[in-house]
Amino acid sequence: MSSTRKLLRSNFLLILFIAASCSPPDDPVKCSTKDSDCTITNCYGMFPDRSTCRAGNVAYPGTEEEIVSIVSAATKAGKKMKVVTSFAHSIPKLACPDGVDGLLISTKYLNHVVNVDAAAMTMTVESGMALSQLIEEAAKAGLALPYAPYWSGATIGGILSTGSHGSSLWGKGSAVHDYVIGMRIVSPGGPDEGYAKIRILNESHEDLNAAKVSLGVLGVISQHEFADMSWYPSQRQVVYRVDDRVSPDVSGEGLYDFTGFRDTLSLVAESIRTTEETQESNGLDELKCVSAGVTTTILGAIAYGLTNNGIIFTGYPVIGYQNRLQSSSSCVNSPEDGLITACPWDPRIKGEFFHQTTFKISLSVVQSFIEDVQSLVALEPKSLCGLELYNGILMRYVKASSAYLGSQEDALDFDITYYRSKDPLTPRLYEDILEEIEQMAVFKYGGLPHWGKNRNIAFDGVFKKYRNVTEFLKFRVGKGMLAARGIK
Ligand SMILES: Cc1cc2nc3c(=O)[nH]c(=O)nc-3n(C[C@H](O)[C@H](O)[C@H](O)COP(=O)(O)OP(=O)(O)OC[C@H]3O[C@@H](n4cnc5c(N)ncnc54)[C@H](O)[C@@H]3O)c2cc1C
């Protein structure tokens, strides 16, 4: 990954309260003994199908040699394996090893910088490193990752496996995997290979395109470099974010600590959830719309978590270094405080519980999709207020990628977050409208679902949408993950 450290002027135009410390997320893997008879969940404590995933064992390698030895022993014993990170921030059941005897291989202790080459502007890191750590380490060397997901509490392995991205059509685009110039992958091998092998891929290997996005198996376009939009369909409003580079001579200590990713007082998160549950169970759509309007007004007033100096927001433009503005996850990195505060969705408190439908639609047809959604809102004006409580529909640019499972065309990515009931049999308000949007996106407009979000229906027939899927399948090492997501 490479680029120079950049000073950015940010003109971008959620709700929770900040405390001095926070309870970092719980470990997604729990075992009845030290490392056996385990369960694995995601950071929300619930997979889309609400089932519990069990695994026989978990292993915590600290070096590549240890990974080889673990993979070798498990392959010899015929065990199914899955990689689990210390966060499990993906919604789908990606890390479930498909069978109670399966083995989880955790990247928790694989979080070191291997090499920094400031002259070549490249870094080599272990796959369990958090994006926040990568950004920090790069900055120390005067480097910056050009584009990143907005959430820095994910690991590099997880980000690459699910094709995670920020927003841009410039240069190589916004997906992190398009900045990868080499990878080392440990896969099962035959007896003559000692049941495990290391595959070393660099830019001259076509297989790098298979490995970059591996699923763990192995209007008018803005002229600005970064741009995204938050669309509030029921309010008929869009907030545009515009970022520009400025000369390094321009001083600025701006910081983006997105309010929705901050440590939140558990009592506040619980009271917001109780209000949402009351509105949902009593069909109070009018009130939901009022709450949505209040939420977006407050968010705008507090500049979404932007500050000009790391403490206070005094006005736009906010100027600062790329590493301080591009991505945030402060609720993950704060010290333990006994759950007085937590990430707003932490399943140990009764806070946010939502679902996300996220897909990329080709720029050639995206206008029609947006018009279809507008027509639905015209029919049911209050139907999408609920998702405006989660800062509306986030729209980001993703460029066509050479990765076999990356974006197939230049596209607009839509992130839709909305209420989920704790009771599996209770539908959400206007569920029909939300499902119609999902169906239009995925089937009518051939949208590509984000690999790390969505429920299973979004992946129905998904491989037919990828030109080089055969090349990917040739490289794949196991069928377990695909079966787990209902992909044959
Ligand atoms: C609050 C929040 C905000 C988000 N914002 C964005 C965003 O702005 N843009 C975006 O695109 N996405 C976003 N996401 C989605 C997120 O980037 C992905 O879900 C990402 O995969 C999570 O990374 P993780 O480290 O938790 O991986 P996990 O969810 O634990 O793992 C994902 C997959 O990667 C595999 N895997 C992980 N490491 C390895 C490895 N070393 N080798 C092989 N396989 C591996 C796992 O087996 C699994 O299949 C967000 C998620 C959250 C929770």
Side-chain angles (χ1 to χ4, degrees), residues 44 83 85 88-90 127 150-151 155 158 161-162 164-165 396 450:
Y44 308 104
V83 178
T85 68
H89 278 128
S90 294
S127 64
Y150 294 0
W151 169 245
T155 66
S161 301
T162 56
S164 296
H165 57 85
R396 295 185 282 186
H450 189 304

Side-chain angles (χ1 to χ4, degrees), residues 127-402:
S127 64
M129 176 177 281
L131 176 62
S132 54
Q133 194 188 342
L134 178 106
I135 290 171
E136 211 174 288
E137 297 289 347
K140 283 184 204 159
L143 303 174
L145 185 63
Y147 310 100
Y150 294 0
W151 169 245
S152 57
T155 66
I156 302 307
I159 286 171
L160 296 183
S161 301
T162 56
S164 296
H165 57 85
S167 180
S168 182
L169 288 176
W170 268 39
K172 294 181 172 181
S174 62
V176 177
H177 54 80
D178 283 322
Y179 295 84
V180 171
I181 56 169
M183 285 173 94
R184 291 171 70 92
I185 300 187
V186 180
S187 332
D192 51 329
E193 296 166 311
Y195 295 99
K197 59 186 174 202
I198 302 174
R199 296 201 257 188
I200 304 169
L201 305 173
N202 59 37
E203 280 180 301
S204 60
H205 285 92
E206 272 198 3
D207 285 344
L208 189 60
N209 289 324
K212 279 175 179 175
V213 182
S214 68
L215 310 182
V217 289
L218 359 181
V220 180
I221 298 166
S222 164
Q223 291 180 4
H224 289 83
E225 181 173 0
F226 308 85
D228 70 34
M229 290 155 273
S230 296
W231 179 20
Y232 308 115
S234 298
Q235 299 177 46
R236 295 167 181 254
Q237 285 193 33
V238 178
V239 170
Y240 293 87
R241 159 182 160 167
V242 177
D243 292 0
D244 287 320
R245 293 178 192 232
V246 292
S247 151
D249 304 335
V250 183
S251 63
E253 287 304 319
L255 181 74
Y256 188 28
D257 182 9
F258 179 54
T259 37
F261 296 166
R262 286 187 192 176
D263 29 353
T264 302
L265 279 173
S266 302
L267 283 174
V268 171
E270 287 168 9
S271 116
I272 291 171
R273 173 69 188 181
T274 303
T275 306
E276 204 182 3
E277 278 176 349
T278 309
Q279 292 174 348
E280 280 278 334
S281 55
N282 295 295
L284 304 175
D285 52 358
E286 197 85 54
L287 264 183
K288 271 199 123 151
C289 295
V290 173
S291 304
V294 171
T295 304
T296 46
T297 304
I298 295 176
L299 280 175
I302 58 175
Y304 310 89
L306 276 164
T307 49
N308 300 77
N309 57 4
I311 302 166
I312 185 167
F313 174 71
T314 52
Y316 295 108
V318 174
I319 300 173
Y321 284 99
Q322 166 80 336
N323 59 298
R324 285 170 60 85
L325 288 171
Q326 67 184 137
S327 190
S328 68
S329 59
S330 56
C331 70
V332 167
N333 300 317
S334 308
E336 177 62 57
D337 68 1
L339 285 177
I340 295 171
T341 64
C343 289
W345 53 83
D346 191 310
R348 294 168 298 174
I349 62 171
K350 196 189 151 224
E352 285 181 358
F353 189 58
F354 52 76
H355 189 65
Q356 278 181 318
T357 298
T358 302
F359 44 81
K360 294 186 260 301
I361 297 200
S362 165
L363 291 183
S364 56
V365 293
V366 76
Q367 185 176 343
S368 306
F369 170 70
I370 291 171
E371 285 166 1
D372 278 353
V373 176
Q374 286 171 328
S375 306
L376 280 175
V377 177
L379 287 173
E380 285 288 359
K382 288 176 275 183
S383 58
L384 298 187
C385 292
L387 52 91
E388 292 171 9
L389 292 169
Y390 296 88
N391 204 24
I393 302 179
L394 176 61
M395 292 151 72
R396 295 185 282 186
Y397 292 102
V398 185
K399 209 169 150 92
S401 170
S402 60

